[in-house]
Amino acid sequence: MTAIRCELELEGRLQGVGFRPLAFRLARELGLSGWVRNTAQGVTLALQGQQGGILEFERRVAQQLPAHAVIRRSTRRSMPLARETDFRIAPSMAGGSQGAEPLPDLATCAACASEVLDPKNRRYGYPFTSCTSCGPRYSVLLALPYDRGNTTMSGFTMCPACQAEYEDPENRRFHSQTNCCAQCGPALSLKRASGEVVGQAELALRRATAALRSGEIVAVMGLGGFHLFCDARSDAAVSRLREAKARCAKPFAVMVRDLAHARRLCAVSDLEAEALRSSGAPIVLLPRRRDAESEVCAAVAPEVLDLGLMLAYTPLHLLLLHGLEGAAVATSGNLADEPLCITECEARERLGRFTDLFLAHDRPIAARVDDSVVRIIAGTQVVLRAGRGYAPLLLPAAEAAPQDEDQAPAIVGLGPHQKATFAVARGGQIILFPHVGTLDTRLAVEAYRESLARGLRLCGITDVTAVCDLHPDYATTRLAAELSAQPQAVQHHHAHVLSCVTEHQLREPYLGVAWDGTGYGGDGTIWGGEFLRSDPSGLLRAGTLRSFRLIGGDAAAREPRRAALGLLYELYGEACAEHVPGFTPSDLRTLLRALSRGLGAPRTSSMGRLFDGVAALLGLRQRAEYEGQAAILLEGAARTLAGPAAPPYPLQLTGDTPIVIDWEPWICGIRDDAQRGRPVAEIAARFHETLAAAIVAVAQRIGIEQIVLSGGCFQNPLLCQRAVARLRAAGFRPYWNQRVPPNDGGISVGQAAAGLGR
């Protein structure tokens, strides 16, 4: 039979996942010659042999793809025969348009973890052990294609033993770009804030764990930045960390060494266990067990029902947790509103005032990447923060205008001001890059700029059309004007809805429910309780929450009592003074004067502020110490109800375009129930049930089958679950954010989708 030769160009997630080793082994097994190489676009293969062998190669490659590999596009062309007899992994080729996907960092696999804990293994106790199935990816990547020379591992030359593994087709470290050991790889050092060296390598690790056991705070350099570690059992250590970070009550994340330990602290379902043990290894929000107080002190997560738990996801963390023999607080290594520290000098300078020791290493971090956060809602995993292990995330765009990638500028969604991310759209695809954070400080804005520049560089993008929020004072809005001569602006809640539409690849018609704290409405009011109907001309405001005055504007987000005051003032005018909790008579007189004149009291339809107002009326929280605290406590109270919730409060819909949902019957009912002495849990549960019923009532009035739920309020598991259940029971098809965060962390995806659609 006559031999043939062809070239396959593959695009997708193919670099750093063991694809080239798979291609190498299959080609040799099938008697094919040729080569495989990484390129800036993905992977290219030359295959020469019998046609049946080449077809079998293509079939088996598709069937046997490594766990993290994805082929999104394949192009095949015939080539003239070449004089060659074997198959090889050829040197990578840079240049051309960049289409290769950067891979998120991967948690340590079971095989590497076993080696690290095995005294007979040559990698015993080595904290940088990895293979083709695990280890750092995005956080060490400097350029594409993904090769050792394009990562921060480029300064470490493999020893003969590691080189032999790298060259052995039967070894799982065959062409593992991060392969190393204690003889040739990165090493640990332990220092004080002054720079004094306390220990190196194994001694550094032993002394760091001893310091944790004695109640000290240790800054640990991980994959995408530093963590601040302390013993989760030590009330003194956790309280000192809270004081140092000016974080009075916001829960800290906790790290444990394995799933068995996680089950001792929390109730863990099969879906939650799957998330904990996944290659993303996120923080998972889990219901805490009442009998675990001795293992996690009350100061870790005061007042709340859940713990944010993650498993040790690098060998370094695994060794630390084994040495500590308990759970550790593992919170971001930064100060409030500042970006993660990623260098030892930066950490010692910014965190040295309160941190006892710094456990660092000499492998540079190329990108700040915070931990991802997920929770199971309505039977699915919902990403609340897309960071390590989950981003970069590639999504096909739901709708895209025809675009020549080499000619048209890329679309870049710059996100909002809080939970800032950015998303790059080109060629009908959108890439969501990792969470950066709130842009309230100069350092945070600088970190965002660095992350954006790096993301564009990895994608090979120099010409962009920027898409931003309508809010004129966001840092991202100002940056959009720097990037584009004519930036596009997308209304905040439109972007929320489009983020979910993009994720689920929905087609019109659909009704979007966008509920959150605040979003610039463009009509002089603050939106936040919106129903948006798809239309050929764009999204139309089909429904909204009845508005009320928000005294102090942004200050109301920090003081739920202000939302309560605005609600009661709307109902009773100045006579509300006798019903409002949490104010001194003098303060109340001042605020009522401002309300009567409309000074510093914009109108809002915010569902988030309605949650705040109800929480304040029920005495759960008058001042919030962190974002969403009042709503979290209200949802937590509802979850403590034994038995089914009472029927919803009366629903009252007025108007036509938009339909207005009147909250007056709810507030009156809540006050009546409270005065009758009904338990707070019962009232809170009934409020959640009312909101779910309101969504169904509006959906029935509008009559569109596909319902899209997005916005920060749908992080609330009880609200989302009840809304989904009621919508399904009424014959609707509900969709909610899952891989793309429902909060502001997903806004950039919606902006990029809007830019493509335009």
Side-chain angles (χ1 to χ4, degrees), residues 34-230:
W35 46 261
V36 59
R37 63 159 50 111
N38 282 343
T39 69
Q41 297 77 43
V43 170
T44 300
L45 303 97
L47 300 171
Q48 183 166 304
Q50 300 300 319
Q51 183 173 4
I54 292 175
L55 292 174
E56 178 67 5
F57 175 92
E58 292 180 273
R59 185 185 69 82
R60 289 176 60 181
V61 157
Q63 287 181 343
Q64 299 175 27
L65 276 179
H68 306 293
V70 178
I71 297 174
R72 303 194 191 277
R73 186 184 305 170
S74 175
T75 303
R76 178 177 174 177
R77 64 174 64 89
S78 298
M79 298 177 65
L81 294 174
R83 291 184 178 181
E84 59 188 5
T85 58
D86 66 349
F87 192 90
R88 69 190 192 282
I89 295 180
S92 297
M93 181 179 293
S97 63
Q98 310 245 348
E101 290 181 37
L103 188 73
D105 298 296
L106 303 174
T108 302
C109 68
C112 284
S114 177
E115 289 176 342
V116 169
L117 299 176
D118 180 3
K120 297 179 181 179
N121 193 281
R122 79 181 188 93
R123 288 188 171 84
Y124 174 60
Y126 184 59
F128 304 97
T129 299
S130 66
C131 68
T132 53
S133 297
C134 68
R137 296 295 190 270
Y138 185 72
S139 65
V140 297
L141 187 63
L142 299 171
L144 289 168
Y146 175 75
D147 289 312
R148 194 180 184 101
N150 286 337
T151 74
T152 59
M153 286 294 294
S154 60
F156 300 95
T157 302
M158 282 182 276
C159 67
C162 288
Q163 189 69 38
E165 293 171 333
Y166 184 85
E167 295 173 354
D168 180 2
E170 301 304 317
N171 195 291
R172 78 174 196 279
R173 294 190 171 93
F174 181 45
H175 275 261
S176 170
Q177 303 306 316
T178 55
N179 192 31
C180 61
C181 69
Q183 304 303 313
C184 61
L188 293 174
S189 64
L190 186 67
K191 297 180 183 179
R192 302 193 191 281
S194 63
E196 175 193 355
V197 178
V198 178
Q200 293 182 320
E202 184 183 353
L203 179 61
L205 189 61
R206 285 206 316 269
R207 288 184 171 173
T209 54
L212 290 172
R213 287 196 301 270
S214 66
E216 294 188 84
I217 297 171
V218 180
V220 179
M221 187 177 181
L223 286 181
F226 276 80
H227 281 108
L228 290 166
F229 267 72
C230 71

Side-chain angles (χ1 to χ4, degrees), residues 131-478:
C131 68
T132 53
S133 297
C134 68
R137 296 295 190 270
Y138 185 72
S139 65
V140 297
L141 187 63
L142 299 171
L144 289 168
Y146 175 75
D147 289 312
R148 194 180 184 101
N150 286 337
T151 74
T152 59
M153 286 294 294
S154 60
F156 300 95
T157 302
M158 282 182 276
C159 67
C162 288
Q163 189 69 38
E165 293 171 333
Y166 184 85
E167 295 173 354
D168 180 2
E170 301 304 317
N171 195 291
R172 78 174 196 279
R173 294 190 171 93
F174 181 45
H175 275 261
S176 170
Q177 303 306 316
T178 55
N179 192 31
C180 61
C181 69
Q183 304 303 313
C184 61
L188 293 174
S189 64
L190 186 67
K191 297 180 183 179
R192 302 193 191 281
S194 63
E196 175 193 355
V197 178
V198 178
Q200 293 182 320
E202 184 183 353
L203 179 61
L205 189 61
R206 285 206 316 269
R207 288 184 171 173
T209 54
L212 290 172
R213 287 196 301 270
S214 66
E216 294 188 84
I217 297 171
V218 180
V220 179
M221 187 177 181
L223 286 181
F226 276 80
H227 281 108
L228 290 166
F229 267 72
C230 71
D231 189 339
R233 297 165 293 194
S234 171
D235 188 83
V238 176
S239 297
R240 185 159 70 93
L241 184 56
R242 283 205 174 281
E243 182 180 359
K245 290 197 72 172
R247 187 166 166 171
C248 298
K250 187 176 181 180
F252 283 136
V254 172
M255 183 181 285
V256 294
R257 68 185 186 184
D258 55 31
L259 182 60
H261 195 175
R263 291 190 190 279
R264 294 210 308 266
L265 304 182
C266 294
V268 183
S269 69
D270 290 345
L271 283 175
E272 289 160 342
E274 182 182 331
L276 284 168
R277 292 186 297 189
S278 70
S279 63
I283 298 168
V284 183
L285 300 183
L286 300 165
R288 55 204 298 186
R289 295 173 62 97
R290 292 184 178 180
D291 56 356
E293 289 87 349
S294 62
E295 296 204 57
V296 176
C297 69
V300 170
E303 297 185 296
V304 297
L305 299 180
D306 301 320
L307 272 182
L309 275 188
M310 59 181 152
L311 303 189
Y313 58 82
T314 72
L316 173 57
H317 295 126
L318 186 64
L319 292 165
L320 277 173
L321 268 295
H322 271 268
L324 179 60
E325 297 180 342
V329 165
T331 189
S332 301
N334 59 354
L335 297 176
D337 299 326
E338 289 187 359
L340 279 174
C341 297
I342 61 171
T343 68
E344 178 196 318
C345 290
E346 184 181 33
R348 287 195 284 114
E349 178 183 344
R350 287 165 52 193
L351 309 176
R353 177 177 53 82
F354 60 88
T355 303
D356 300 299
L357 293 170
F358 295 81
L359 184 62
H361 55 76
D362 55 351
R363 183 184 67 206
I365 295 173
R368 290 179 173 86
V369 187
D370 215 333
D371 295 315
S372 293
V373 181
V374 309
R375 83 179 309 154
I376 303 302
I377 299 177
T380 61
Q381 187 180 140
V382 174
V383 176
L384 305 182
R385 184 168 74 197
R388 174 192 49 77
Y390 284 75
L393 169 68
L394 187 138
L395 300 158
E399 294 183 19
Q403 188 178 19
D404 185 332
E405 290 184 56
D406 295 326
Q407 301 295 326
I411 307 294
V412 181
L414 296 175
H417 190 78
Q418 294 184 314
K419 298 180 177 65
T421 60
F422 61 92
V424 176
R426 61 175 184 182
Q429 296 178 330
I430 296 174
I431 301 177
L432 173 64
F433 283 84
H435 165 91
V436 178
T438 299
L439 306 181
D440 280 342
T441 65
R442 177 185 57 81
L443 286 175
V445 174
E446 288 177 1
Y448 179 90
R449 287 177 176 272
E450 290 170 6
S451 297
L452 176 62
R454 179 177 181 276
L456 295 178
R457 186 172 65 250
L458 286 176
C459 293
I461 291 171
T462 56
D463 187 15
V464 304
T465 295
V467 187
C468 60
D469 196 272
L470 277 179
H471 199 298
D473 294 329
Y474 283 174
T476 49
T477 305
R478 294 191 291 271

Side-chain angles (χ1 to χ4, degrees), residues 594-618:
L595 279 170
S596 66
R597 299 170 185 172
L599 298 176
R603 297 198 71 85
T604 185
S605 57
S606 168
M607 183 59 72
R609 298 293 81 82
L610 180 64
F611 265 93
D612 286 352
V614 171
L617 290 173
L618 294 178

